[in-house]
Amino acid sequence: MPNVPAATVPDVTVPDVTVPDLPDVPTVIVLGSINEDIVVRAPRHPVPGETLLGSSVQRFPGGKGANQAVAASLAGALTLMIARVGDDISGSAMRTTLHAAKVDTTYVGPCKHDPTGTAVIVVSDAGENTIVVIAGANEKLRPVHVDDAFDAQIAKPNDVVLAQLEIPIEVVSHALQRARRMGVRTILNAAPAQQLPDALVGAVDVLIVNETELATLTGDAEWTSGIANMSDRVGTVVLTRGGEGVAVCQQREIVCVPGHEVEVVDTTGAGDAFCGAFAAAIASGLGANEAARFANGAAALACTRLGAQSGLATQRDIDAFLSSKNVES
Ligand code: RIB
């Protein structure tokens, strides 16, 4: 057996080691509604006074806020939601669904006296929908709930706050102004459309609307002039145009992203898929045009399944879909 020298402890001076801070991962903070969707399938939409026989009725998780939060999380963003549900079975089911999609629900509080929001949706054979929302607990979200979350330092400057208008507009305005003061990027999906107070508009970095919503906000039936005029008030305006794709307008300059052909089953939640994926892409550092390209893929995939959240796609699926369409993501 060879002579093995005894182990010696080398004379090493251990330098002071400073562990570097881990890079901050931007979070998408979604402020918005949570609904239970009751979805009825019918050959077409009934006209007033008409009774139609439908083919199915199903319950799905929904609400523009929840749909967008799940879309952002699946698209790869750390996601947290500020919202209200009822203290009822559907409220806890909606929270469970958000958890399953890895959305932080610390600030999704139960509301004692109001039920979880409900949406009644009719989807026609052409995949188009009509929606009636009963706000329930969503109406009880207050500025103090936003302050509770922000006071607990949920937001840092490179985060993104994403809101819609199915909750009281004064809460959205309060949250976006507070976010703006902190240097947090703000995205408003003005759906359902209503007139926006100047203080709110002044706190929006990116406004996302569809053509009907843009016309309501601007009073202009022509989208090209409507979006250009709106871009005088908000830095970036993103117009979702269904199968036609998306238009992004900054300082009156419009960039169009073409739509993708898919087999449409249900367009419910396609706009939410877009907003969530867009926010995730912005949080990851992409510019508005690139984020719109990515989100456009998410919206197309969302149309291929029944239910607002069932069609939401992961980052990997969106990337694969876009490369199958020869779009760089
Ligand atoms: O955008 C689709 C959503 O609108 C549905 O999930 C429904 O809940 C309504 O909020």
Side-chain angles (χ1 to χ4, degrees), residues 94-106:
M94 296 303 120
R95 281 176 57 116
T96 305
T97 307
L98 289 166
H99 267 296
K102 296 196 168 69
V103 175
D104 183 338
T105 57
T106 308

Side-chain angles (χ1 to χ4, degrees), residues 159-250:
D159 288 344
V160 173
V161 170
L162 168 64
Q164 327 72 35
L165 298 177
E166 276 186 342
I167 53 172
I169 195 165
E170 61 274 15
V171 181
V172 174
S173 185
H174 176 78
L176 267 52
Q177 288 180 68
R178 185 160 177 178
R180 170 57 73 83
R181 285 195 295 276
M182 295 175 64
V184 172
R185 292 163 291 176
T186 57
I187 302 176
L188 175 65
N189 172 218
Q194 55 180 287
Q195 288 311 317
L196 306 177
D198 287 341
L200 172 54
V201 173
V204 175
D205 291 322
V206 181
L207 177 74
I208 304 179
V209 282
N210 65 22
E211 287 178 85
T212 316
E213 290 149 3
L214 180 69
T216 304
L217 293 183
T218 59
D220 192 339
E222 178 52 51
W223 74 263
T224 45
S225 47
I227 196 175
N229 290 334
M230 201 67 212
S231 84
D232 292 339
R233 300 178 69 202
V234 176
T236 303
V237 183
V238 178
L239 178 68
T240 55
R241 305 186 58 228
E244 298 298 312
V246 182
V248 180
C249 186
Q250 291 172 311

Side-chain angles (χ1 to χ4, degrees), residues 51-103:
T51 302
L52 278 182
L53 288 182
S55 54
S56 69
V57 56
Q58 278 173 277
R59 289 168 187 269
F60 291 102
K64 294 188 193 304
N67 299 343
Q68 294 184 17
V70 172
S73 178
L74 292 181
L78 274 184
T79 309
L80 173 146
M81 191 170 183
I82 304 173
R84 281 290 168 277
V85 288
D87 194 4
D88 49 26
I89 294 173
S90 91
S92 57
M94 296 303 120
R95 281 176 57 116
T96 305
T97 307
L98 289 166
H99 267 296
K102 296 196 168 69
V103 175

Side-chain angles (χ1 to χ4, degrees), residues 37-47 52-58 119-132 265-268 306:
D37 291 353
I38 299 171
V39 180
V40 172
R41 291 221 66 155
R44 58 180 172 78
H45 295 282
V47 296
L52 278 182
L53 288 182
S55 54
S56 69
V57 56
Q58 278 173 277
V120 176
I121 304 178
V122 178
V123 179
S124 70
D125 281 351
E128 283 167 345
N129 64 64
T130 53
I131 306 180
V132 176
V265 173
D266 178 11
T267 55
T268 312
L306 183 66

